[in-house]
């Protein structure tokens, strides 16, 4: 068993999981379907929270009791949580700009590489955190600033390596499109190959480095955008992921009680052998994912990063069918999909 979900609080733990999963799905729909939802969730609320974070951190630096005993300071005060929150929020703002074509940036062709850059940064943040555990306590344990006991060892190295490989499974960097009605920013070349390899890697990361949070951020949070992308938002996984990640980080950062010290709290078994097995699965998945990208790029004889390599696959074509007709000008002659369509027209 991966998690300690048994005993008197088991019913609450499962209820908590369902509540988080459903809430993330609903909140994602609110944020993606309206401009008001996107602006409120990723501009207004983060601005308010930033003032809160500044006040409590300044107070803690001054040694004030009310700040030192603040739940956010005590339970979510590490560099990782802040880095993840603001990196995810930056991604959401950039994605909203792209899908609504706001300003010069939202309309610029070169800015279409932003999704790749921000996702790579988010992955690297977690990779650094994994390697941090390995360096701090090789085949031993160390205690984070939140008081969580973490194991360091080969599992961190394997999964950190999986994360680095995962960056190169992202293909078709400039193949970013606007969805019908401006509801979504689509990245059609980000198919199940990347999504599965990413989910397995990220789950292993949370399991290694966030053992008291992985039940929620390693399962519910990962499954919410994946389910949405597979069932009704084909091509929109990366936007789903950024939106749900940012919203979860905001909630977890300000209400740590839910996951850390309530009837809903769930710990992983936090066993280095289990961590190693989970990380090994993630590494194998990412090796296979990258191998498939290489196979597709050689088959089409294209650069997998400046061109789309999943052209003709079911997921890619379904995602492209959701593209807004007014975005036709976004198809440049340098993209595989566009070249094929031009040949068909001739």
């Amino acid at each position: 068993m991966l998690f300690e979900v048994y005993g008197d609080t088991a019913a609450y733990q499962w209820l908590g999981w369902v509540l988080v999963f459903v809430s993330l799905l609903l909140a994602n729909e609110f944020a993606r379907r309206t401009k008001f939802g996107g602006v409120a969730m990723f501009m207004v609320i983060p601005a308010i929270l930033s003032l809160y974070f500044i006040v409590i951190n300044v107070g803690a630096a001054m040694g004030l009791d009310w700040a030192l005993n603040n739940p956010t300071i005590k339970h979510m005060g590490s560099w990782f949580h802040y880095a993840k929150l603001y990196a995810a929020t930056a991604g959401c703002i950039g994605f909203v700009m792209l899908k609504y074509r706001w300003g010069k940036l939202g309309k610029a062709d070169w800015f279409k590489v932003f999704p790749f850059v921000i996702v790579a940064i988010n992955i690297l943040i977690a990779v650094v955190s994994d390697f941090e555990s390995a360096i701090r306590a090789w085949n031993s344990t160390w205690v984070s600033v939140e008081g969580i006991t973490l194991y360091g060892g080969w599992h961190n190295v394997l999964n950190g390596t999986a994360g680095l490989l995962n960056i190169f499974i992202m293909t078709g960097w400039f193949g970013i499109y606007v969805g019908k009605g401006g509801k979504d920013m689509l990245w059609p070349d980000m198919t199940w190959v990347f999504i599965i390899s990413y989910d397995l890697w990220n789950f292993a990361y949370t399991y290694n480095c966030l053992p008291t949070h992985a039940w929620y951020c390693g399962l519910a949070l990962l499954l919410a955008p994946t389910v949405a992308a597979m069932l009704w938002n084909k091509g929109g996984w990366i936007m789903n992921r950024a939106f749900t990640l940012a919203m979860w980080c905001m909630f977890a950062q300000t209400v740590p009680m839910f996951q850390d010290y309530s009837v809903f709290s769930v710990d992983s078994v936090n066993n280095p052998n289990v961590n190693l097995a989970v990380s090994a699965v993630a590494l194998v998945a990412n090796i296979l994912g990258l191998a498939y990208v290489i196979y597709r790029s050689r088959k089409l004889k294209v650069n997998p990063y400046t061109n789309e390599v999943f052209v003709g696959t079911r997921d890619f074509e379904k995602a492209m069918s959701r593209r807004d007709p007014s975005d036709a000008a976004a198809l440049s002659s340098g993209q595989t999909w566009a070249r094929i369509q031009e040949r068909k027209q001739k």
Side-chain angles (χ1 to χ4, degrees), residues 68-85:
L68 292 172
N69 292 315
N70 179 278
T72 297
I73 295 292
K74 293 180 66 175
H75 297 276
M76 299 290 286
S78 73
W79 70 268
F80 170 81
H81 296 300
Y82 285 105
K84 202 68 176 175
L85 169 60

Side-chain angles (χ1 to χ4, degrees), residues 18-237:
V18 172
L19 286 174
V20 169
F21 177 73
V22 173
S23 296
L24 287 172
L25 283 177
L26 295 176
N28 180 59
E29 293 303 306
F30 168 69
R32 66 175 277 259
R33 288 178 180 272
T34 65
K35 291 182 181 179
F36 172 79
V39 171
M41 294 301 300
F42 308 120
M43 297 179 190
V44 177
I45 294 177
I48 295 172
L49 288 181
S50 293
L51 292 175
Y52 165 70
F53 295 145
I54 291 171
V55 169
I56 61 174
N57 278 280
V58 169
M62 295 173 63
L64 302 177
D65 288 342
W66 61 266
L68 292 172
N69 292 315
N70 179 278
T72 297
I73 295 292
K74 293 180 66 175
H75 297 276
M76 299 290 286
S78 73
W79 70 268
F80 170 81
H81 296 300
Y82 285 105
K84 202 68 176 175
L85 169 60
Y86 284 102
T89 303
C92 294
I93 294 172
F95 296 170
V96 168
M97 292 176 66
L98 282 165
K99 78 168 185 168
Y100 291 126
R101 300 175 188 163
W102 281 350
K104 291 183 178 179
L105 279 181
K107 298 181 180 70
D109 285 339
W110 67 265
F111 191 61
K112 290 178 181 179
V113 77
F114 173 79
F116 163 75
V117 172
I118 199 66
V119 175
I121 290 173
N122 272 273
I123 292 172
L124 287 173
I125 290 171
V127 168
V128 169
S129 181
D130 237 329
F131 285 135
E132 178 187 27
S133 282
I135 294 170
R136 281 178 175 267
W138 185 261
N139 287 334
S140 184
T141 62
W142 67 287
V143 180
S144 70
V145 295
E146 291 98 356
I148 307 301
T149 299
L150 300 173
Y151 286 93
W154 278 111
H155 54 280
N156 300 116
V157 175
L158 295 185
N159 201 56
T161 303
L164 294 175
L165 294 177
N166 193 244
I167 293 173
F168 296 97
I169 302 177
M170 287 187 280
T171 58
W173 296 350
F174 295 91
I176 304 299
Y177 307 96
V178 176
K180 292 178 180 177
K183 291 181 181 178
D184 299 298
M185 182 202 77
L186 303 176
W187 189 345
D189 221 41
M190 186 170 273
T191 64
W192 63 269
V193 178
F194 176 80
I195 295 171
I196 291 176
S197 59
Y198 176 94
D199 281 357
L200 290 173
W201 160 75
N202 195 260
F203 174 75
Y205 167 73
T206 63
Y207 202 78
N208 289 343
C209 300
L210 302 170
T212 58
H213 300 173
W215 176 247
Y216 295 112
C217 70
L219 283 180
L221 177 58
L222 283 171
L223 284 176
T226 298
V227 168
M230 295 300 179
L231 297 183
W232 65 82
N233 194 8
K234 191 69 70 176
W237 178 87

